[in-house]
Amino acid sequence: MFWGYKSVVSSSPIPKLSYGFTKMNMSRSGYRVFSANSSTACTELAKKITERLGVELGKSVVYQESNTETRVEVKESVRGQDVFIIQTIPRDVNTAVMELLVMAYALKTSCAKNIIGVIPYFPYSKQCKMRKRGSIVCKLLASMLAKAGLTHIITMDLHQKEIQGFFNFPVDNLRASPFLIQYIQEEIPDYRNAVIVAKSPSAAKRAQSYAERLRLGLAVMHGEAHHSESDMADGRHSPPLSRTTTGHTGLELPLMMAKEKPPITVVGDVGGRIAIIVDDIIDDVEDFVAAADILKERGAYKIYIMATHGLLSAEAPRLIEESAIDEVVVTNTVPHEVQKLQCPKIKTVDVSMILAEAIRRIHNGESMAYLFRNIAVDD
């Protein structure tokens, strides 16, 4: 049974999503919802959320001065109120981060009671591990948000769930899987003949969760032409390949053998089936295009990509349009209207409903457990 379903059917087809609320009546007053984006395209999700909540978007002005400094002006009183800042992340990530920080600090100095950041796609989430002599930038951003005045965060499908430990205040990591699963059931003809595919072994748990809830088979792809993120997890690449040392001449450490990945292989049968690749982020699409080519060679007759965050950077729309991929389905956590105009294969699933309900529950002091009903840990 999926989160939000009203009926339990184990052997029959899975019912459609049905949520436990029809009208969002606020039991308490004293909260405001603001958008921290200066770009009009990035405020669409904020407008959808406020429409579902039945409230108006807070009055504020966010803009960049001639020297590119960010300036925020809050145009109404927020004293003693719960304030929710909705910030979607466009391609200009650093500007969006500064807008969020400056607005949070402006609300803090305006005596807001609680400042809750609604950040559907959390930026810098891929930089959550040490790489060579780099830094864990995601931890730095968490500290900056706390210092600016945020007291709570609502986000969706963090790249690594352990990121929640970077914060010293509550983080609600919502899931998009119920909406993507519903799309599979309603929009993919003959989805019962599909197989869920993990693009890499690290994505196998997520794919298994989808497969179990849809009662479908599972396939895992192994081997890559490019270095994967897991190969550089700690980034130290030590000890060196040479045994020469400059310090302790008598110290000889075991020689580390370099990894060699085999050519891409598919573990599982995809012949004559619909292949559905699931992931959390789709940004540079070269790996997805290569995976689609392999699946086509193995006999898959349709290929879908399902992901929560559609960053779709650089030449992604063109590469998708020219590839064997039939459809790319992403949520509206990140604005991608321009990419959709460039590539009609890109489809969007709206997740404003769950974000609006999370806001309502947090303000009213209600439990968030309902939003995680039947959600697997590995989603």
Side-chain angles (χ1 to χ4, degrees), residues 196-267:
I196 304 298
V197 180
K199 187 170 63 68
S200 64
S202 62
K205 287 185 177 181
R206 181 189 299 271
Q208 181 182 357
S209 175
Y210 276 69
E212 289 176 350
R213 286 189 286 172
L214 288 165
R215 284 74 166 173
L216 298 178
L218 176 67
V220 180
M221 305 189 74
H222 174 62
E224 295 176 298
H226 305 286
H227 294 294
S228 70
E229 184 179 337
S230 58
D231 287 337
M232 302 182 291
D234 74 352
R236 291 172 178 81
H237 299 293
S238 179
L241 295 178
S242 173
R243 288 183 180 272
T244 58
T245 58
T246 57
H248 302 281
T249 55
L251 179 63
E252 289 189 2
L253 297 176
L255 182 64
M256 229 17 143
M257 300 300 295
K259 285 185 180 180
E260 285 190 14
K261 286 201 170 185
I264 298 177
T265 58
V266 180
V267 181

Side-chain angles (χ1 to χ4, degrees), residues 55-360:
V55 300
E56 293 183 359
L57 201 59
K59 297 175 183 176
S60 63
V61 178
V62 182
Y63 62 96
Q64 275 70 49
E65 294 185 340
S66 56
N67 62 353
T68 70
E69 287 185 359
T70 298
R71 184 176 289 274
V72 172
E73 296 177 6
V74 180
K75 298 294 187 178
E76 58 185 286
S77 175
V78 296
R79 182 178 295 273
Q81 298 179 347
D82 292 336
V83 180
F84 296 84
I85 309 174
I86 301 173
Q87 180 69 325
T88 51
I89 306 299
R91 288 191 176 185
D92 190 355
V93 177
N94 294 331
T95 297
V97 169
M98 276 307 301
E99 289 171 347
L100 178 60
L101 291 170
V102 175
M103 174 161 276
Y105 191 68
L107 294 168
K108 177 183 177 181
T109 54
S110 298
C111 300
K113 180 181 177 182
N114 294 302
I115 304 172
I116 300 96
V118 183
I119 315 170
Y121 167 65
F122 194 80
Y124 289 98
S125 58
K126 284 190 174 182
Q127 298 190 47
C128 61
K129 297 179 181 179
M130 181 64 73
R131 303 276 177 83
K132 294 186 178 179
R133 295 180 180 85
S135 60
I136 305 177
V137 182
C138 192
K139 168 62 176 173
L140 171 63
L141 180 56
S143 301
M144 292 167 64
L145 291 173
K147 190 68 176 177
L150 287 183
T151 59
H152 196 142
I153 279 182
I154 302 170
T155 187
M156 181 168 282
D157 283 337
L158 286 170
H159 186 56
Q160 298 289 340
K161 296 176 181 61
E162 293 77 9
I163 291 174
Q164 296 175 79
F166 292 164
F167 297 87
N168 56 8
F169 51 74
V171 177
D172 286 308
N173 183 27
L174 304 176
R175 306 294 198 274
S177 56
F179 298 91
L180 296 176
I181 287 173
Q182 181 176 350
Y183 184 94
I184 292 172
Q185 293 174 310
E186 297 179 352
E187 302 296 333
I188 298 181
D190 195 24
Y191 82 92
R192 290 293 185 186
N193 188 38
V195 59
I196 304 298
V197 180
K199 187 170 63 68
S200 64
S202 62
K205 287 185 177 181
R206 181 189 299 271
Q208 181 182 357
S209 175
Y210 276 69
E212 289 176 350
R213 286 189 286 172
L214 288 165
R215 284 74 166 173
L216 298 178
L218 176 67
V220 180
M221 305 189 74
H222 174 62
E224 295 176 298
H226 305 286
H227 294 294
S228 70
E229 184 179 337
S230 58
D231 287 337
M232 302 182 291
D234 74 352
R236 291 172 178 81
H237 299 293
S238 179
L241 295 178
S242 173
R243 288 183 180 272
T244 58
T245 58
T246 57
H248 302 281
T249 55
L251 179 63
E252 289 189 2
L253 297 176
L255 182 64
M256 229 17 143
M257 300 300 295
K259 285 185 180 180
E260 285 190 14
K261 286 201 170 185
I264 298 177
T265 58
V266 180
V267 181
D269 182 21
V270 297
R273 313 282 288 277
I274 300 171
I276 303 175
I277 303 175
V278 297
D279 213 333
D280 63 326
I281 298 173
I282 177 168
D283 190 0
D284 297 323
V285 299
E286 286 84 355
D287 288 348
F288 290 94
V289 171
D293 291 338
I294 296 296
L295 292 170
K296 277 287 186 182
E297 292 176 5
R298 299 301 172 89
Y301 69 91
K302 276 192 176 181
I303 299 169
Y304 291 81
I305 310 293
M306 314 289 293
T308 303
H309 310 296
L311 306 186
L312 302 170
S313 301
E315 297 296 316
R318 180 183 62 81
L319 294 175
I320 292 171
E321 185 66 24
E322 297 172 355
S323 72
I325 299 170
D326 291 281
E327 199 167 278
V328 174
V329 183
V330 294
T331 72
N332 56 344
T333 57
V334 177
H336 51 264
E337 293 305 316
V338 174
Q339 291 89 329
K340 288 178 69 175
L341 294 175
Q342 297 171 348
C343 177
K345 292 182 179 180
I346 301 172
K347 308 297 181 183
T348 307
V349 174
D350 182 24
V351 293
S352 61
M353 177 183 291
I354 189 173
L355 294 169
E357 178 66 358
I359 290 173
R360 188 190 70 81

